[in-house]
Amino acid sequence: MNIDKANRRAILLYEAGEVAEAAIIFGKVLQKKPYNLTANLYMGDNCIKGENFGAAVTYFKRVLKSDVLRRDSSALLAVYCGLGSSLWKTGLYEEATVYHEKAINLAPEDPKNFFSYYNLGLANYERGIFDEAGRNFRKASELNPEDPRPHANLAHILLLNGNFQEGWEESEFWVEIPGKAMPSFCVSIDEWDGSPLTGEKIFIGSDHHVGDMIMWASCFEKIIDQADFCLVECDQRLIPLFKRSFPKTEFIKILSFKEVNEHTIKKIDAMDWTIAADRIPKFMRPDINSFPRKKSYLIPDPEKVADWRNRLKSLGEGLKVGISWRGGSVPIIMKKRSTTLMQWAPILRIPGVHFINLQYGDCHNDLQEIKESLGITIHDWDDVDPLKDLETSAAQIVVLDLIISVDNTTVHMSGALGVPTWVLLPYICNWRWLRDVEDSYWYPSLRLVRQKNIDDFDELITGVAFDLLKLIETEGCENQFFPV
């Protein structure tokens, strides 16, 4: 085999999109020459695209000692960038920073190092080195002003630090991230710029995440009071709850292009303004003092509330505490936010407490394991499914004495309903919870309990168990809005 000819052919195939055929040829090259620079680089890149990051690390590390690599600064830069990115994706953030920094040191001002600065920012963020991460993102933006990702991530850091004014400005770039843009049928309507809405009609586009949309809804009241008419798009499951809570507003379900009909288009075209829900805080929450300390803003169905009050009363004396232990919708977020239910044993063993399952999704095996291992029944009802019916979920939540949950949709609902809630936060938490504070500006009824060390929920849960026991012994805990 002529190695050079084989590599050239494979490169042509790879760049033409014939990746599988190219990989076969590169594989044959590596059988003959395991440390061949070209084949390892392309195979590493292919593994990154296929999200096989562990294999990518292997390919890139294999050529680090290559003499050819040391003479080719462009290839060396590619290896460092690939290694840093792959290591970050596998959660090896500290090692990832080493290779990003090596890449940057090769050519600090080279536009090719955009990804090195950007990925270094991501790695530093995951290590909790937020200020340095912010500087990394700013430098990445200098090298490539057109890419929205450094701005979007810088916005997270600014908001995490409570710098709302600059944070919301940088968050303007969120809309340029795939999936965040307003629907194309809104392009004929002017985007609201915060100007007075007296006598005006406004369309608010949805955030597809239910928890986020509940949080943005805390900003609706002022817009509704100003505007002549307000049309809001949201997840269909939220419509009954939102209609009751904001009776002057019309709500429609999230629109797919197949579902948009002439009547809906005419209704939207009649609006004077449009804005995406996640851009409203730029005008409604410019600083910490602009957050109203209002205990609740969502109103549950009173009949369902009465039904749940009776159900919980039938459990007998003792606190009724709702629990939820998993959060996030993508693996990297789920790993950071979630626990196993068995980790909650120190909390669940506290006597005199009735624990209520609020975890959405299939958790039958979790509940069964707790019953068999600890002899503890966590109360669960078959007619409750937050993934399908948020009205029932809201009514159940609002009559509880206390909720203990990881960061997920449950805490947005309980916060909007004004229910006392302890939120178990990872060391690197979402920007909305800020840094080093125990309360939430979005939801006054929330208490934020934070990990002291990355990935250490065990110590946090032990502390929460102690706090719950102390609360029971000294003060008790009563939901003043809907006491059982």
Side-chain angles (χ1 to χ4, degrees):
M1 172 188 285
N2 186 310
I3 299 297
D4 290 339
K5 284 185 178 180
N7 275 335
R8 284 196 294 271
R9 181 164 177 254
I11 290 169
L12 289 173
L13 288 167
Y14 191 87
E15 293 179 350
E18 301 292 336
V19 176
E21 191 172 346
I24 292 172
I25 297 174
F26 283 133
K28 290 179 179 178
V29 169
L30 291 175
Q31 286 177 359
K32 296 286 186 181
K33 298 286 185 180
Y35 298 97
N36 181 268
L37 175 61
T38 300
N40 277 295
L41 275 175
Y42 275 90
M43 289 296 280
D45 182 68
N46 185 42
C47 287
I48 288 177
K49 290 178 179 177
E51 299 188 354
N52 188 355
F53 301 109
V57 169
T58 300
Y59 284 116
F60 290 129
K61 281 192 171 182
R62 187 180 288 166
V63 296
L64 277 178
K65 296 180 180 180
S66 167
D67 291 334
V68 177
L69 183 64
R70 294 179 183 278
R71 296 193 298 269
D72 187 342
S73 60
S74 178
L76 185 58
L77 181 62
V79 170
Y80 286 157
C81 288
L83 256 177
S85 177
S86 302
L87 288 164
W88 178 80
K89 288 289 188 177
T90 55
L92 299 172
Y93 305 122
E94 190 168 353
E95 190 178 355
T97 63
V98 171
Y99 290 102
H100 288 315
E101 288 170 351
K102 284 178 179 288
I104 289 168
N105 289 336
L106 284 175
E109 301 301 323
D110 189 335
K112 292 180 182 178
N113 254 327
F114 160 78
F115 283 109
S116 297
Y117 282 106
Y118 174 64
N119 289 328
L120 180 59
L122 294 176
N124 279 326
Y125 184 92
E126 294 296 342
R127 296 171 66 200
I129 309 174
F130 300 114
D131 294 338
E132 184 63 26
R135 287 189 285 270
N136 300 146
F137 292 136
R138 290 186 191 276
K139 185 62 180 181
S141 294
E142 287 179 22
L143 295 179
N144 187 357
E146 301 303 317
D147 196 301
R149 289 172 293 180
H151 293 281
N153 283 280
L154 177 60
H156 291 169
I157 292 173
L158 292 166
L159 294 170
L160 192 68
N161 287 332
N163 185 348
F164 291 101
Q165 189 167 7
E166 188 181 359
W168 295 131
E169 288 294 333
E170 290 292 331
S171 75
E172 293 288 298
F173 290 87
W174 287 351
V175 76
E176 298 182 34
I177 304 297
K180 280 288 187 180
M182 289 292 287
S184 60
F185 48 79
C186 296
V187 295
S188 61
I189 310 170
D190 290 332
E191 188 168 350
W192 185 50
D193 57 4
S195 57
L197 289 167
T198 305
E200 305 279 75
K201 299 184 287 293
I202 186 169
F203 171 67
I204 299 175
S206 174
D207 189 309
H208 287 63
H209 298 283
V210 169
D212 286 342
M213 196 62 184
I214 290 173
M215 190 174 80
W216 306 136
S218 66
C219 303
F220 287 173
E221 189 172 10
K222 192 172 181 180
I223 292 178
I224 293 168
D225 289 344
Q226 289 182 16
D228 183 59
F229 177 74
C230 189
L231 178 67
V232 179
E233 179 192 39
C234 66
D235 188 295
Q236 189 169 12
R237 294 169 295 172
L238 284 169
I239 291 179
L241 189 59
F242 276 7
K243 276 186 175 180
R244 188 181 307 105
S245 306
F246 307 102
K248 297 179 183 178
T249 300
E250 182 175 345
F251 293 91
I252 57 175
K253 69 176 183 177
I254 294 174
L255 303 169
S256 68
F257 291 107
K258 292 181 180 179
E259 294 173 313
V260 176
N261 54 42
E262 187 176 349
H263 173 73
T264 303
I265 291 175
K266 284 183 178 180
K267 181 178 289 188
I268 295 173
D269 281 344
M271 300 294 107
D272 300 298
W273 302 98
T274 184
I275 189 169
D278 62 359
R279 298 191 66 224
I280 294 175
K282 176 182 177 181
F283 307 110
M284 298 289 108
R285 303 289 183 264
D287 53 51
I288 286 176
N289 294 326
S290 62
F291 284 77
R293 304 301 286 174
K294 189 174 182 179
K295 185 167 185 179
S296 64
Y297 53 88
L298 293 186
I299 302 172
D301 182 335
E303 291 185 6
K304 289 182 180 290
V305 169
D307 173 53
W308 277 102
R309 185 185 295 120
N310 289 331
R311 291 197 200 194
L312 296 191
K313 186 178 289 186
S314 69
L315 298 179
E317 296 295 324
L319 288 182
K320 279 70 176 182
V321 178
I323 60 170
S324 183
W325 57 96
R326 293 198 298 262
S329 56
V330 296
I332 191 169
I333 300 298
M334 292 175 68
K335 181 181 178 183
K336 184 187 300 183
R337 293 186 190 175
S338 299
T339 66
T340 66
L341 185 53
M342 188 59 69
Q343 285 179 277
W344 289 55
I347 295 174
L348 300 176
R349 286 193 174 105
I350 294 175
V353 180
H354 299 282
F355 291 102
I356 316 299
N357 175 36
L358 299 181
Q359 181 60 54
Y360 46 85
D362 183 9
C363 50
H364 173 77
N365 290 340
D366 294 350
L367 301 179
Q368 190 64 29
E369 181 185 19
I370 291 298
K371 188 169 185 177
E372 292 175 358
S373 300
L374 304 181
I376 295 170
T377 298
I378 297 173
H379 302 286
D380 185 50
W381 286 264
D382 291 338
D383 60 345
V384 183
D385 186 353
L387 294 178
K388 296 180 180 178
D389 181 6
L390 290 175
E391 278 275 79
T392 298
S393 179
Q396 181 190 37
I397 285 172
V398 84
V399 297
L400 293 167
D401 296 307
L402 175 68
I403 290 168
I404 305 175
S405 175
V406 298
D407 180 7
N408 61 18
T409 301
T410 300
V411 302
H412 290 281
M413 182 68 81
S414 64
L417 293 166
V419 179
T421 303
W422 295 353
V423 188
L424 314 187
L425 293 178
Y427 187 83
I428 310 299
C429 66
N430 188 276
W431 61 265
R432 78 190 78 230
W433 309 124
L434 279 71
R435 292 169 63 182
D436 305 322
V437 296
E438 291 188 0
D439 58 348
S440 167
Y441 292 101
W442 295 96
Y443 308 113
S445 68
L446 266 53
R447 174 198 172 203
L448 309 178
V449 190
R450 302 172 183 271
Q451 285 182 347
K452 294 180 180 178
N453 301 293
I454 293 177
D455 295 334
D456 185 3
F457 268 112
D458 291 337
E459 182 182 4
L460 184 153
I461 287 172
T462 299
V464 167
F466 176 81
D467 290 346
L468 179 58
L469 188 60
K470 184 178 178 181
L471 182 67
I472 294 170
E473 292 175 347
T474 58
E475 300 176 14
C477 177
E478 183 180 9
N479 183 334
Q480 297 297 324
F481 279 151
F482 294 92
V484 176

